[in-house]
Amino acid sequence: MKAPTGLDAFDVPLETLRARRSAKWATYPDDVLPAWVAEMDFELAPPIRAVLLDAIELDDTGYAEPGRLGSAFAGFASARFGWSVEPERVWVAADVMSAAVEVLRSFTSSGDGVVVNTPVYPPFLKSVPEIGRRVVEVPLVPDSGRWELDLDGLERAFAGGAAAYLLCNPHNPTGRLLGRDELAAVAELAARHGVLVVADEVHGPMALPGATHTPFVSLGEEAAAHGVTITSASKAWNLAGLKCAVIVAGSAGMQEQLAERLPKSLRFHAGHFGVLASVAAFTEGAAWLDALIEHLDGNRRRLGELLERELPAVRYAEPEAGFLAWLDCRELGLGDDPSAPFLERGRVAVNPGPTFGSPGRGFVRLNFGTSSSLLEEAVRRMASTLDHA
Ligand SMILES: Cc1ncc(COP(=O)(O)O)c(C=O)c1O
């Protein structure tokens, strides 16, 4: 059995990482450095490792019993965001995307429009048509390097009959974290036009220094009446394979609607290990999360320095949350999808910008949830692509 190394939990050696069998590490051959899908390269938080090892020792691999999840999440929400959550208003699901899809399916009808802010996490663009709804794009506006919400565009889309808004905050891939004023404007528009706001806040626990995450339904009555917050420990504590997420109602009215509309089977799709690990994360994972945030804060700055040195033509604005960087590579002359030459010639896997919607042409998404030495290696490999041009 692997014991904690006692080394820096955020500096796991490459050979240890190569032994992992998750999607990030198993998709490409060993000469490719993976910096794509949103998994992190760190050791587990000790309380999470302990609860999972304990379950293995007990051969405790049955169905999930999510009884403690609501109060665990409520405690975390209160301590981290100053958000008072009623534990019984916390609904469990297998993961954030299936939660978002089930909420959209339950609250909208076939053919309805669902607003998204492109460039955006690619499953948003795929899942909406999969359930027979229409994607309505309201692109973010690049304004002096910062991606801004187009409130006029949002209003036009809402007035044009969109039924729901799949809000990604913090935003993947740009790393933008919306402030209270912007969120209040969204709530006001949603209330005026009767639009449901489905707020995917999975990167929220990783707000980086200088930014504050505001859960949408914590904003006030309008937001709580017209929105749900969906989140998970899966990104901040790297638990995506364990399967557990929460849907949170902020008002009695929304709670009633969730009770009436959500499929009763939803909770049975969550994984037992996911629930155990999420409870540990929410109740005992704050110290590790603080250390993670410090490491990511260092890496987002380091990435800026590395790009300036190795790839000065790439434009990059430091994200305000999380471990994903949205890199504007249009001046490199590598075409609409620079991830292809980066992979072929540089042997580094990053996400192709065009999969995030048409504003992603010429961009790539880089995952910096890794050690600073592997981050440096990723940038070095991207730069070496140009030598081989
Ligand atoms: C914004 C966003 N939503 C959802 C997910 C997926 O979360 P889950 O695996 O819990 O569905 C991700 C994963 O990277 C994400 O970035």
Side-chain angles (χ1 to χ4, degrees), residues 38 94-98 121 124 168 170 172 200 202-203 232 234-235 240 243-245 324 365:
D95 52 42
V96 169
M97 269 325 290
S98 60
Y121 179 56
F124 280 24
C168 191
N172 174 356
D200 173 343
V202 69
H203 296 274
S232 169
S234 65
K235 292 295 127 185
K243 296 292 161 195
C244 179
L324 303 170
R365 192 190 73 178

Side-chain angles (χ1 to χ4, degrees), residues 345-369:
R345 303 204 292 266
R347 311 310 285 161
V348 57
V350 292
N351 290 82
T355 59
F356 294 75
S358 55
R361 283 194 211 121
F363 286 72
V364 299
R365 192 190 73 178
L366 171 82
N367 177 341
F368 63 83

Side-chain angles (χ1 to χ4, degrees), residues 44 47-65 69 94 233 238-245 269-281:
L44 283 176
I48 295 176
R49 173 192 295 276
V51 79
L52 294 174
L53 288 176
D54 221 35
I56 294 287
E57 288 299 325
L58 291 167
D59 304 305
D60 179 13
T61 53
Y63 292 111
E65 204 308 291
L69 191 63
N238 203 37
L239 308 175
L242 302 186
K243 296 292 161 195
C244 179
H269 300 298
H272 181 39
F273 278 21
V275 171
L276 293 176
S278 301
V279 170

Side-chain angles (χ1 to χ4, degrees), residues 122-146:
F124 280 24
L125 300 171
K126 289 205 184 109
S127 300
V128 168
E130 262 171 26
I131 56 167
R133 279 45 167 179
R134 258 180 321 109
V135 169
V136 178
E137 285 189 47
V138 177
L140 293 180
V141 182
D143 190 6
S144 25
R146 196 166 194 253

